[in-house]
């Protein structure tokens, strides 16, 4: 599906990968498809920050993203 950098905002990632919105929603980020949320909080929020706010284990989120076909990167490195 594509490469996701954990350093990029949720907004940037969803603009590049529109199908990511549904994946994130299914993981428990239920307001991700709200246009107001996308124009505001998603512009500064990263996946790690969002997971922390929701009390989610980032490794579980990463695994779910990878299971959905994404390659998850931290900075310039592929997540291991």
């Amino acid at each position: 599906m594509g490469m996701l950098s954990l350093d990029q905002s949720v907004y940037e990632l969803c603009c590049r990968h529109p199908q990511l919105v549904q994946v994130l929603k299914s993981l428990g980020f239920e307001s991700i498809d709200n246009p107001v949320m996308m124009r505001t909080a998603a512009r500064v929020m990263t996946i790690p920050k969002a997971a922390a706010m929701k009390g989610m284990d980032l490794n579980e989120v990463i695994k779910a993203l990878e299971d959905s076909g994404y390659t998850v990167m931290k900075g310039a490195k592929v997540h291991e």
Side-chain angles (χ1 to χ4, degrees):
M1 297 227 55
M3 295 184 115
L4 304 177
S5 171
L6 295 181
D7 295 333
Q8 290 184 301
S9 72
V10 172
Y11 175 82
E12 292 172 311
L13 293 173
C14 289
C15 283
R16 286 197 183 108
H17 309 279
Q19 66 279 14
L20 179 61
V21 172
Q22 289 307 311
V23 174
L24 291 173
K25 187 170 182 166
S26 73
L27 291 174
F29 301 99
E30 54 281 325
S31 41
I32 189 71
D33 61 352
N34 179 326
V36 173
M37 181 67 76
M38 190 58 74
R39 285 191 308 267
T40 57
R43 289 184 181 265
V44 296
M45 189 69 59
T46 62
I47 289 174
K49 287 180 187 176
M53 280 183 57
K54 294 290 243 171
M56 302 169 94
D57 182 323
L58 180 59
N59 289 322
E60 290 179 19
V61 172
I62 290 170
K63 180 170 181 347
L65 291 169
E66 291 172 339
D67 289 348
S68 295
Y70 293 99
T71 301
V72 179
M73 300 180 67
K74 173 69 173 148
K77 292 185 166 185
V78 172
H79 181 267
E80 298 173 5

